[in-house]
Amino acid sequence: MNAKANLLVVDDHAELLEFIADDLNEDYHITTSTNGNEALNLLASEYFDLIISDVMMPEMDGYELCQKIKEDIAYAHIPVILLTAKNSIESKIQGLEYGADAYIEKPFSPAFLKAQIVSLLKNRTKVKEFFIKNPMSQIQQIGQNQSDQDFLLKIEEIIMEHLDDPQFNVDRMADILCMSRPTLYRKINLVSSLSPNELINLTRLRKAAELLSLRQYKVYEISNLLGYSSATHFSRNFQKQFGLSPTEFQDSQSNKTLF
């Protein structure tokens, strides 16, 4: 049984906040907040899979909250749904410009809100599964927004710079990014559904797939280039990840060029 996703609901209207929380409580773990500043404080101490926020709030409105979330590398991966009484096309465009993943007008159907939540969470999962199983996919494909994609490309760049170093690990990566190990671990896991070490290994294997498709190196040479202890270890990891041995994958790529 899958664990319930953690949702943060932000609204200064007590009755509406209670209504949304009660309606979603059966399917999700719900945390509530009455303003944007309080919500940011909660983000610093807890993790959330999705955020629902009203737009019109005192102290910090939903637009500013969304912008701060999407501009922070630690939180930018979290989908944000904005709720608003404004129904003009300009307000919708404004919400999207601040990085909102969905924009729902009040009064709204609870069923529609639930459908949006399910869609955002499910789409993220499907894209990640495709990336993990497809050796020729691009890492930015699992990013749900530009901030996610920039973060993932930065992670890939760091890993690529240390491909031949078997000692490279999450601690070194955290130091380079000036992030704590727990924060980096949580961020990578939420964006990719992988641990940092799994992402390091997968990035090496995807680079291996690229080199194999070029047919310029032997399997043992690729193994050495990518910091594996032996060609056997490399081949075992490659087959476990992608369901093909390095040689089988290379042959499959050669066959594609014939058509």
Side-chain angles (χ1 to χ4, degrees):
M1 184 175 181
N2 293 331
K4 289 183 178 181
N6 295 303
L7 273 56
L8 174 61
V9 183
V10 191
D11 199 314
D12 64 317
H13 192 289
E15 291 182 3
L16 182 58
L17 186 63
E18 184 179 358
F19 171 77
I20 296 173
D22 287 346
D23 193 57
L24 299 176
N25 191 56
E26 185 176 342
D27 299 314
Y28 305 101
H29 292 297
I30 305 296
T31 301
T32 61
S33 172
T34 57
N35 64 71
N37 285 325
E38 185 179 80
L40 287 178
N41 289 333
L42 285 169
L43 279 170
S45 59
E46 302 178 39
Y47 75 90
F48 297 99
D49 299 292
L50 186 142
I51 297 169
I52 303 166
S53 176
D54 187 25
V55 168
M56 301 303 293
M57 296 184 295
E59 297 185 38
M60 181 188 297
D61 66 20
Y63 290 140
E64 186 179 356
L65 172 62
C66 184
Q67 183 178 37
K68 287 184 178 296
I69 290 169
K70 296 303 183 178
E71 289 179 347
D72 193 315
I73 192 172
Y75 313 133
H77 59 278
I78 305 173
V80 175
I81 298 175
L82 290 180
L83 307 176
T84 181
K86 297 180 179 180
N87 59 9
S88 67
I89 188 65
E90 290 80 8
S91 62
K92 293 178 182 179
I93 292 172
Q94 187 177 11
L96 295 174
E97 287 177 341
Y98 279 108
D101 297 270
Y103 192 92
I104 299 178
E105 298 172 15
K106 297 178 181 178
F108 59 86
S109 160
F112 182 69
L113 174 59
K114 287 182 178 180
Q116 284 280 16
I117 295 169
V118 170
S119 177
L120 287 170
L121 295 177
K122 186 180 292 184
N123 287 345
R124 184 175 286 259
T125 300
K126 285 181 179 179
V127 171
K128 290 172 188 172
E129 288 174 351
F130 173 80
F131 167 75
I132 290 168
K133 293 299 181 182
N134 186 337
M136 301 304 287
S137 62
Q138 301 298 310
I139 194 168
Q140 65 267 30
Q141 289 177 322
I142 56 176
Q144 295 296 297
N145 52 55
Q146 191 62 51
S147 296
D148 278 10
Q149 293 168 11
D150 292 345
F151 172 75
L152 289 165
L153 286 171
K154 180 63 177 177
I155 292 294
E156 182 177 60
E157 179 185 336
I158 292 170
I159 296 173
M160 288 294 188
E161 290 173 354
H162 299 83
L163 278 178
D164 60 347
D165 181 4
Q167 303 304 315
F168 181 70
N169 56 28
V170 63
D171 292 317
R172 295 267 304 277
M173 190 189 299
D175 288 342
I176 293 170
L177 289 168
C178 299
M179 298 174 70
S180 70
R181 190 180 192 279
T183 298
L184 178 60
Y185 188 101
R186 184 173 63 206
K187 171 74 176 179
I188 289 177
N189 183 253
L190 289 172
V191 171
S192 68
S193 293
L194 299 167
S195 71
N197 285 329
E198 288 172 334
L199 187 57
I200 291 170
N201 185 53
L202 181 55
T203 302
R204 280 196 169 106
L205 292 175
R206 287 172 51 253
K207 181 62 176 180
E210 179 186 329
L211 294 174
L212 286 166
S213 67
L214 296 175
R215 303 187 70 85
Q216 294 177 356
Y217 302 93
K218 298 183 184 301
V219 171
Y220 79 88
E221 292 175 322
I222 294 174
S223 171
N224 291 336
L225 285 170
L226 300 184
Y228 284 94
S229 58
S230 69
T232 301
H233 181 219
F234 160 63
S235 297
R236 188 183 301 119
N237 276 12
F238 192 95
Q239 180 150 13
K240 181 179 178 181
Q241 186 67 46
F242 301 127
L244 294 171
S245 70
T247 302
E248 289 171 337
F249 172 78
Q250 196 170 53
D251 290 342
S252 72
Q253 295 301 297
S254 297
N255 292 336
K256 287 180 181 178
T257 63
L258 299 178
F259 300 96

